[in-house]
Amino acid sequence: MDNLTQKFEYHSKTLANQAAQDELWTAVLSLKFTSMELNILYSYVIEVLICLHTRVLEKLPDLVRGLPTLASILRRKVKNKHIRDVWESVLEEYGLQEGDITALCTFFVAHGNKAEHYIDKVRRMYIRDVNFMITNMVKNQALQDGLLKAVQVVEKGKAVRVSEEQKSPLEELIPSIKS
């Protein structure tokens, strides 16, 4: 009886996971964005995925050659506790969860072959509030959350870079005294 209950629970979880994956893929494939909007979203997604890969490599410099892609990290983290721990710490550092990465990778796989990367200046020329666009047009909650977090990570990273670039030397902050 216990064995049957365990098998049933396992199959129930598996079916629920498959249903969620099917729903995510359906949502990604049925997005009604213009090519411009799709390129803008793709730009945020790819920047986050590159950022995650780079950050993991920074924390695992001895494994750089063995982890040439984000896919290699995602594959190897399953069996390698050290990689998994670093991966989880990087996700936490950026406020992301596995579900967000699943959504972003699904988006990337579905649209990466036909999308183009737009730099920040170009993105801002075409869409002023990408969060509003995502919230209004993406109905699947997992996909919406993943895309919104991708925008947040990219924008937060830019804010940090800009503030670092704007730091002035101490001499400039102290008013000069005229004799």
Side-chain angles (χ1 to χ4, degrees):
M1 181 77 151
D2 288 342
N3 189 20
L4 283 175
T5 302
Q6 287 177 344
K7 284 183 180 180
F8 177 74
E9 288 173 356
Y10 173 77
H11 287 298
S12 178
K13 285 181 184 177
T14 302
L15 286 174
N17 190 19
Q18 286 176 346
Q21 287 177 0
D22 289 348
E23 191 176 312
L24 179 61
W25 274 100
T26 301
V28 168
L29 293 172
S30 63
L31 289 172
K32 302 290 184 211
F33 289 114
T34 65
S35 60
M36 178 67 63
E37 293 165 336
L38 198 64
N39 289 336
I40 290 169
L41 290 177
Y42 169 79
S43 299
Y44 283 106
V45 169
I46 196 66
E47 285 182 24
V48 169
L49 297 179
I50 290 169
C51 176
L52 293 172
H53 179 243
T54 303
R55 189 69 182 120
V56 169
L57 294 182
E58 287 172 356
K59 290 185 169 204
L60 295 171
D62 53 322
L63 296 177
V64 167
R65 297 185 88 164
L67 300 171
T69 63
L70 181 65
S72 62
I73 292 170
L74 296 175
R75 263 194 320 275
R76 295 210 25 218
K77 75 178 175 70
V78 174
K79 294 182 181 175
N80 186 316
K81 183 181 175 356
H82 185 55
I83 294 173
R84 181 173 49 252
D85 290 345
V86 168
W87 172 251
E88 289 170 359
S89 76
V90 168
L91 289 183
E92 188 176 320
E93 189 178 312
Y94 289 105
L96 297 167
Q97 298 175 350
E98 285 290 342
D100 301 323
I101 304 310
T102 301
L104 297 177
C105 287
T106 302
F107 182 92
F108 175 78
V109 168
H111 299 294
N113 66 329
K114 60 184 173 270
E116 294 178 42
H117 179 267
Y118 289 169
I119 61 172
D120 180 50
K121 190 183 288 187
V122 174
R123 291 192 299 246
R124 295 215 180 278
M125 263 179 18
Y126 291 106
I127 295 181
R128 294 204 194 298
D129 189 355
V130 71
N131 290 321
F132 181 76
M133 180 185 80
I134 293 168
T135 304
N136 284 325
M137 295 184 71
V138 178
K139 301 305 175 205
N140 178 279
Q141 195 62 51
L143 181 58
Q144 186 182 94
D145 291 346
L147 291 171
L148 288 171
K149 285 183 182 176
V151 170
Q152 181 183 8
V153 167
V154 171
E155 296 301 325
K156 184 178 177 185
K158 259 190 270 160
V160 168
R161 284 193 305 273
V162 167
S163 69
E164 287 173 355
E165 290 170 5
Q166 290 176 348
K167 284 185 183 172
S168 302
L170 188 57
E171 296 84 38
E172 292 177 18
L173 297 175
I174 300 173
S176 61
I177 300 173
K178 295 181 181 177
S179 317

